[in-house]
Amino acid sequence: QVCPGLRTPQVPVWLCSLCGRHGVLFSTNSLLLSSWKAERQFQLYFYSGQQEQISTTHLTVDTHCHHWEEDQSKNPSRPGKRRPAMEMVIRTKWAGATITWNGTDPIF
């Protein structure tokens, strides 16, 4: 029998398959499960267990970034501009979100 804590996690957790590799995308903020107000700006972490990933990747997600605040050279709609697969996965839940990699090189 499955423990209730495994059926209903206390923090948001997503299992991801990116480019044939599996990993866990999670947050330590339990308010993301119950309060839409917590979704304005929050931290996500990704861990794949791959040998090349030395530590957990720390991402900052901002769902209310205004288009006039964005650097126009980073516009994802520009022809030929590609975004990391991790950002595209996050945007399936939070469309239009701005993702900051906090000094980590984008993976996938």
Side-chain angles (χ1 to χ4, degrees), residues 28-82:
T28 57
N29 184 358
S30 61
L31 290 176
L32 283 175
L33 294 171
S34 59
S35 174
W36 60 270
K37 292 178 184 178
E39 292 185 2
R40 198 231 178 271
Q41 187 174 30
F42 54 93
Q43 311 303 310
L44 288 179
Y45 303 91
F46 180 76
Y47 185 72
S48 68
Q50 298 292 322
Q51 202 170 28
E52 64 270 8
Q53 186 179 8
I54 298 167
S55 62
T56 303
T57 302
H58 172 221
L59 306 167
T60 301
V61 179
D62 186 348
T63 60
H64 288 83
C65 183
H66 301 291
H67 65 85
W68 56 85
E69 293 174 348
E70 292 181 18
D71 181 358
Q72 293 302 317
S73 66
K74 295 181 179 178
N75 185 352
S77 63
R78 261 190 12 213
K81 181 70 174 175
R82 299 191 64 170

Coordinates of all heavy atoms in Angstrom, one line a residue, residues 28-82:
T28 N 11.0 23.7 -2.9 CA 10.9 23.5 -1.5 C 9.8 24.4 -0.9 O 9.5 24.3 0.3 CB 12.2 23.8 -0.8 OG1 12.6 25.2 -1.1 CG2 13.3 22.9 -1.2
N29 N 9.1 25.1 -1.8 CA 8.0 26.0 -1.3 C 6.7 25.3 -1.5 O 6.1 25.2 -2.5 CB 8.0 27.3 -2.2 CG 7.0 28.3 -1.7 OD1 6.2 28.0 -0.8 ND2 7.0 29.4 -2.4
S30 N 6.1 24.8 -0.3 CA 4.9 24.1 -0.4 C 3.7 25.0 -0.8 O 2.6 24.5 -1.2 CB 4.6 23.5 1.0 OG 4.5 24.5 2.0
L31 N 3.8 26.3 -0.7 CA 2.7 27.2 -1.1 C 2.4 27.1 -2.5 O 1.3 27.5 -3.0 CB 3.1 28.6 -0.7 CG 3.0 28.9 0.8 CD1 3.5 30.4 1.1 CD2 1.7 28.7 1.4
L32 N 3.4 26.6 -3.3 CA 3.1 26.5 -4.8 C 2.0 25.5 -5.1 O 1.4 25.6 -6.1 CB 4.3 26.1 -5.5 CG 5.4 27.1 -5.8 CD1 6.6 26.5 -6.4 CD2 4.9 28.2 -6.6
L33 N 1.7 24.6 -4.1 CA 0.6 23.7 -4.3 C -0.8 24.3 -4.0 O -1.8 23.7 -4.4 CB 0.8 22.4 -3.4 CG 2.1 21.6 -3.7 CD1 2.3 20.6 -2.6 CD2 1.9 20.9 -5.0
S34 N -0.8 25.3 -3.2 CA -2.1 25.8 -2.7 C -2.4 27.2 -2.9 O -3.5 27.7 -2.8 CB -2.2 25.5 -1.2 OG -1.2 26.1 -0.5
S35 N -1.4 28.1 -3.2 CA -1.6 29.5 -3.4 C -1.1 30.0 -4.7 O 0.1 30.0 -4.9 CB -1.0 30.2 -2.2 OG -1.1 31.6 -2.4
W36 N -2.0 30.5 -5.5 CA -1.6 31.1 -6.8 C -0.7 32.3 -6.6 O 0.1 32.7 -7.4 CB -2.8 31.5 -7.7 CG -3.7 32.5 -7.1 CD1 -4.8 32.2 -6.3 CD2 -3.6 33.9 -7.2 NE1 -5.4 33.4 -5.9 CE2 -4.7 34.4 -6.4 CE3 -2.8 34.8 -7.8 CZ2 -4.9 35.8 -6.3 CZ3 -3.0 36.1 -7.7 CH2 -4.1 36.6 -7.0
K37 N -0.8 33.0 -5.4 CA 0.0 34.2 -5.1 C 1.5 33.8 -5.0 O 2.4 34.6 -5.3 CB -0.4 34.9 -3.9 CG -1.8 35.5 -4.0 CD -2.3 36.1 -2.7 CE -3.7 36.6 -2.9 NZ -4.2 37.2 -1.6
A38 N 1.8 32.6 -4.6 CA 3.2 32.1 -4.5 C 3.8 31.9 -5.9 O 5.1 31.8 -5.9 CB 3.2 30.8 -3.7
E39 N 3.1 31.9 -6.9 CA 3.6 31.7 -8.3 C 4.1 33.0 -9.0 O 4.5 32.9 -10.1 CB 2.5 31.0 -9.1 CG 2.2 29.7 -8.7 CD 1.2 29.0 -9.7 OE1 0.8 29.6 -10.7 OE2 0.8 27.8 -9.4
R40 N 4.2 34.0 -8.2 CA 4.7 35.3 -8.9 C 6.2 35.1 -9.1 O 6.7 35.3 -10.2 CB 4.5 36.5 -8.0 CG 4.6 37.8 -8.8 CD 5.5 38.8 -8.2 NE 5.7 40.0 -8.9 CZ 6.6 40.2 -9.8 NH1 7.4 39.2 -10.2 NH2 6.8 41.3 -10.4
Q41 N 7.0 34.8 -8.1 CA 8.4 34.6 -8.3 C 8.8 33.5 -7.3 O 8.5 33.6 -6.1 CB 9.3 35.8 -8.1 CG 10.7 35.6 -8.4 CD 11.5 36.9 -8.3 OE1 11.2 37.8 -7.5 NE2 12.6 37.0 -9.1
F42 N 9.5 32.5 -7.8 CA 9.8 31.3 -6.9 C 11.0 30.6 -7.4 O 11.5 30.8 -8.5 CB 8.6 30.4 -6.8 CG 8.1 29.9 -8.1 CD1 8.5 28.7 -8.7 CD2 7.1 30.7 -8.8 CE1 8.0 28.3 -9.9 CE2 6.6 30.2 -10.0 CZ 7.1 29.1 -10.6
Q43 N 11.5 29.7 -6.6 CA 12.7 28.9 -7.0 C 12.3 27.5 -7.3 O 11.5 26.9 -6.7 CB 13.7 28.8 -5.7 CG 14.0 30.2 -5.1 CD 14.5 31.2 -6.0 OE1 15.5 30.9 -6.7 NE2 14.0 32.4 -6.0
L44 N 13.0 27.0 -8.4 CA 12.9 25.6 -8.7 C 14.3 25.0 -8.8 O 15.3 25.7 -9.0 CB 12.2 25.4 -10.1 CG 10.7 25.7 -10.2 CD1 10.3 25.5 -11.7 CD2 9.9 24.8 -9.3
Y45 N 14.3 23.7 -8.5 CA 15.6 23.0 -8.5 C 15.5 21.8 -9.5 O 14.4 21.2 -9.5 CB 16.0 22.5 -7.1 CG 16.0 23.7 -6.2 CD1 14.9 24.1 -5.4 CD2 17.2 24.4 -6.0 CE1 14.9 25.1 -4.6 CE2 17.2 25.5 -5.1 CZ 16.1 25.8 -4.4 OH 16.2 26.9 -3.5
F46 N 16.6 21.5 -10.2 CA 16.6 20.3 -11.0 C 17.8 19.4 -10.7 O 18.9 19.9 -10.6 CB 16.6 20.7 -12.5 CG 16.6 19.6 -13.5 CD1 15.4 18.9 -13.7 CD2 17.7 19.1 -14.1 CE1 15.4 17.8 -14.6 CE2 17.8 18.1 -14.9 CZ 16.6 17.4 -15.2
Y47 N 17.5 18.2 -10.6 CA 18.6 17.2 -10.3 C 18.3 16.0 -11.2 O 17.3 15.4 -11.2 CB 18.6 16.8 -8.9 CG 19.8 15.9 -8.6 CD1 21.1 16.4 -8.6 CD2 19.7 14.5 -8.4 CE1 22.2 15.6 -8.4 CE2 20.7 13.7 -8.2 CZ 22.0 14.3 -8.2 OH 23.1 13.5 -8.0
S48 N 19.4 15.6 -12.0 CA 19.3 14.5 -12.9 C 20.1 13.3 -12.4 O 19.8 12.2 -12.9 CB 19.7 14.9 -14.3 OG 21.1 15.1 -14.3
G49 N 21.1 13.5 -11.6 CA 21.9 12.4 -11.2 C 22.9 12.0 -12.2 O 23.7 11.0 -12.0
Q50 N 23.0 12.7 -13.3 CA 24.0 12.5 -14.4 C 25.3 12.8 -13.9 O 25.5 13.7 -13.1 CB 23.6 13.3 -15.6 CG 22.3 12.9 -16.2 CD 22.3 11.5 -16.8 OE1 23.3 11.1 -17.4 NE2 21.2 10.8 -16.7
Q51 N 26.3 12.2 -14.4 CA 27.7 12.4 -14.0 C 28.2 13.8 -14.2 O 28.9 14.3 -13.4 CB 28.6 11.4 -14.7 CG 29.9 11.1 -14.0 CD 30.6 10.0 -14.7 OE1 30.4 9.7 -15.9 NE2 31.4 9.3 -14.0
E52 N 27.7 14.4 -15.3 CA 28.1 15.8 -15.6 C 27.5 16.8 -14.7 O 27.9 18.0 -14.7 CB 27.9 16.1 -17.1 CG 26.5 16.1 -17.5 CD 26.0 14.8 -18.0 OE1 26.7 13.7 -17.9 OE2 24.9 14.7 -18.6
Q53 N 26.4 16.5 -14.0 CA 25.8 17.4 -13.1 C 26.4 17.3 -11.7 O 26.1 16.3 -11.0 CB 24.3 17.2 -13.1 CG 23.6 18.3 -12.3 CD 22.0 18.2 -12.2 OE1 21.5 17.2 -12.7 NE2 21.4 19.1 -11.7
I54 N 27.2 18.2 -11.3 CA 27.9 18.2 -10.1 C 27.0 18.5 -8.9 O 27.0 17.9 -7.8 CB 29.1 19.1 -10.1 CG1 30.1 18.7 -11.2 CG2 29.8 19.2 -8.7 CD1 31.2 19.7 -11.5
S55 N 26.1 19.5 -9.1 CA 25.2 19.9 -8.0 C 23.8 20.2 -8.6 O 23.6 20.2 -9.8 CB 25.7 21.2 -7.3 OG 25.8 22.2 -8.2
T56 N 22.9 20.4 -7.7 CA 21.5 20.6 -8.2 C 21.4 22.0 -8.9 O 22.0 23.0 -8.4 CB 20.6 20.7 -6.9 OG1 20.7 19.4 -6.3 CG2 19.1 20.9 -7.3
T57 N 20.7 22.1 -10.0 CA 20.6 23.3 -10.7 C 19.5 24.1 -10.1 O 18.4 23.7 -9.8 CB 20.2 23.0 -12.2 OG1 21.2 22.2 -12.8 CG2 20.0 24.3 -13.0
H58 N 19.8 25.4 -9.8 CA 18.9 26.3 -9.1 C 18.4 27.3 -10.1 O 19.2 28.0 -10.8 CB 19.7 27.0 -8.0 CG 19.0 28.1 -7.4 ND1 19.5 29.3 -7.0 CD2 17.7 28.3 -7.0 CE1 18.7 30.1 -6.4 NE2 17.5 29.5 -6.4
L59 N 17.1 27.4 -10.3 CA 16.4 28.3 -11.3 C 15.5 29.2 -10.5 O 14.8 28.8 -9.6 CB 15.6 27.5 -12.3 CG 16.3 26.4 -13.0 CD1 15.3 25.5 -13.7 CD2 17.3 26.9 -14.0
T60 N 15.4 30.4 -11.0 CA 14.4 31.4 -10.5 C 13.4 31.6 -11.6 O 13.7 31.9 -12.7 CB 15.1 32.7 -10.1 OG1 16.1 32.5 -9.1 CG2 14.0 33.7 -9.6
V61 N 12.1 31.5 -11.3 CA 11.0 31.6 -12.2 C 10.2 32.8 -11.8 O 9.8 33.0 -10.7 CB 10.1 30.4 -12.2 CG1 9.0 30.5 -13.2 CG2 10.9 29.1 -12.5
D62 N 10.0 33.7 -12.8 CA 9.2 34.9 -12.6 C 8.1 34.9 -13.6 O 8.3 34.9 -14.8 CB 10.1 36.2 -12.8 CG 9.3 37.5 -12.5 OD1 8.1 37.4 -12.3 OD2 10.0 38.5 -12.4
T63 N 6.9 34.7 -13.1 CA 5.7 34.6 -14.0 C 5.1 36.0 -14.3 O 4.1 36.0 -15.2 CB 4.6 33.7 -13.4 OG1 4.2 34.3 -12.1 CG2 5.2 32.3 -13.2
H64 N 5.5 37.0 -13.7 CA 4.9 38.3 -14.0 C 5.9 39.3 -14.5 O 5.8 40.5 -14.3 CB 4.3 38.9 -12.7 CG 3.0 38.1 -12.3 ND1 3.1 37.0 -11.6 CD2 1.7 38.4 -12.6 CE1 1.8 36.5 -11.5 NE2 1.0 37.4 -12.0
C65 N 6.9 38.9 -15.2 CA 7.9 39.8 -15.8 C 7.2 40.5 -17.0 O 6.5 39.9 -17.8 CB 9.1 39.0 -16.3 SG 10.4 40.0 -17.0
H66 N 7.4 41.8 -17.0 CA 6.8 42.6 -18.1 C 7.6 42.6 -19.3 O 8.9 42.6 -19.2 CB 6.6 44.0 -17.6 CG 5.7 44.1 -16.4 ND1 4.3 43.8 -16.4 CD2 6.0 44.4 -15.1 CE1 3.8 44.0 -15.2 NE2 4.8 44.3 -14.4
H67 N 7.0 42.5 -20.5 CA 7.8 42.4 -21.7 C 8.7 43.6 -21.9 O 9.8 43.4 -22.5 CB 6.8 42.3 -22.9 CG 6.0 43.5 -23.2 ND1 6.4 44.5 -23.9 CD2 4.7 43.8 -22.8 CE1 5.4 45.4 -23.9 NE2 4.4 45.0 -23.3
W68 N 8.4 44.8 -21.4 CA 9.3 45.9 -21.6 C 10.5 45.9 -20.7 O 11.4 46.6 -20.8 CB 8.5 47.2 -21.4 CG 7.9 47.4 -20.1 CD1 8.4 47.8 -18.9 CD2 6.5 47.1 -19.8 NE1 7.5 47.8 -17.9 CE2 6.3 47.3 -18.5 CE3 5.4 46.6 -20.6 CZ2 5.1 47.2 -17.8 CZ3 4.2 46.4 -20.0 CH2 4.0 46.7 -18.6
E69 N 10.5 45.0 -19.7 CA 11.6 44.8 -18.8 C 12.6 43.8 -19.3 O 13.8 43.7 -18.9 CB 11.2 44.3 -17.4 CG 10.3 45.3 -16.7 CD 9.8 44.8 -15.4 OE1 9.8 43.5 -15.2 OE2 9.3 45.6 -14.6
E70 N 12.2 43.0 -20.3 CA 13.1 42.0 -20.9 C 14.2 42.6 -21.8 O 13.9 43.6 -22.4 CB 12.3 40.9 -21.7 CG 11.4 40.1 -20.8 CD 10.6 39.1 -21.7 OE1 11.0 38.8 -22.8 OE2 9.6 38.6 -21.2
D71 N 15.3 41.9 -21.8 CA 16.4 42.3 -22.7 C 15.9 41.9 -24.1 O 15.7 40.7 -24.4 CB 17.7 41.6 -22.3 CG 18.8 41.9 -23.2 OD1 18.6 42.7 -24.2 OD2 19.9 41.4 -22.9
Q72 N 15.8 42.8 -25.0 CA 15.3 42.5 -26.4 C 16.2 41.5 -27.1 O 15.7 40.8 -28.0 CB 15.1 43.8 -27.1 CG 14.0 44.7 -26.6 CD 12.6 44.0 -26.5 OE1 12.2 43.2 -27.4 NE2 11.9 44.1 -25.4
S73 N 17.5 41.5 -26.8 CA 18.4 40.6 -27.4 C 18.1 39.1 -27.0 O 18.6 38.2 -27.7 CB 19.8 40.9 -27.1 OG 20.1 40.7 -25.8
K74 N 17.4 38.9 -26.0 CA 17.0 37.6 -25.5 C 15.6 37.2 -25.9 O 15.1 36.2 -25.3 CB 17.2 37.5 -24.0 CG 18.6 37.7 -23.5 CD 18.7 37.6 -22.0 CE 20.1 37.7 -21.5 NZ 20.3 37.7 -20.1
N75 N 15.0 37.9 -26.8 CA 13.7 37.6 -27.2 C 13.5 36.2 -27.8 O 14.1 36.0 -28.9 CB 13.2 38.7 -28.2 CG 11.8 38.5 -28.6 OD1 11.1 37.6 -28.2 ND2 11.2 39.5 -29.3
P76 N 12.8 35.3 -27.2 CA 12.7 33.9 -27.7 C 11.9 33.8 -29.0 O 12.0 32.8 -29.6 CB 12.0 33.2 -26.5 CG 11.3 34.2 -25.8 CD 12.1 35.5 -25.9
S77 N 11.2 34.9 -29.4 CA 10.4 34.8 -30.6 C 11.2 35.1 -31.8 O 10.7 35.0 -32.9 CB 9.2 35.7 -30.5 OG 9.6 37.0 -30.3
R78 N 12.5 35.6 -31.6 CA 13.3 36.0 -32.7 C 13.6 34.7 -33.6 O 13.9 33.6 -33.0 CB 14.6 36.5 -32.2 CG 14.7 38.0 -32.2 CD 16.1 38.5 -32.0 NE 17.2 37.6 -32.0 CZ 18.2 37.7 -31.2 NH1 18.3 38.6 -30.4 NH2 19.2 36.8 -31.3
P79 N 13.6 34.8 -34.9 CA 13.9 33.7 -35.7 C 15.3 33.2 -35.4 O 16.2 33.9 -35.3 CB 13.8 34.2 -37.2 CG 13.0 35.5 -37.0 CD 13.2 36.0 -35.7
G80 N 15.5 31.9 -35.3 CA 16.7 31.2 -35.1 C 17.1 31.2 -33.6 O 18.1 30.6 -33.3
K81 N 16.4 31.8 -32.7 CA 16.7 31.8 -31.3 C 16.1 30.6 -30.7 O 14.9 30.3 -30.7 CB 16.1 33.1 -30.7 CG 16.4 33.2 -29.2 CD 17.9 33.5 -29.0 CE 18.1 33.7 -27.5 NZ 19.5 33.9 -27.2
R82 N 17.0 29.8 -30.1 CA 16.5 28.5 -29.4 C 16.6 28.7 -27.9 O 17.5 29.4 -27.4 CB 17.4 27.4 -29.9 CG 17.3 27.2 -31.4 CD 17.9 26.0 -31.8 NE 17.2 24.9 -31.2 CZ 17.3 23.6 -31.5 NH1 18.2 23.3 -32.3 NH2 16.6 22.7 -30.9

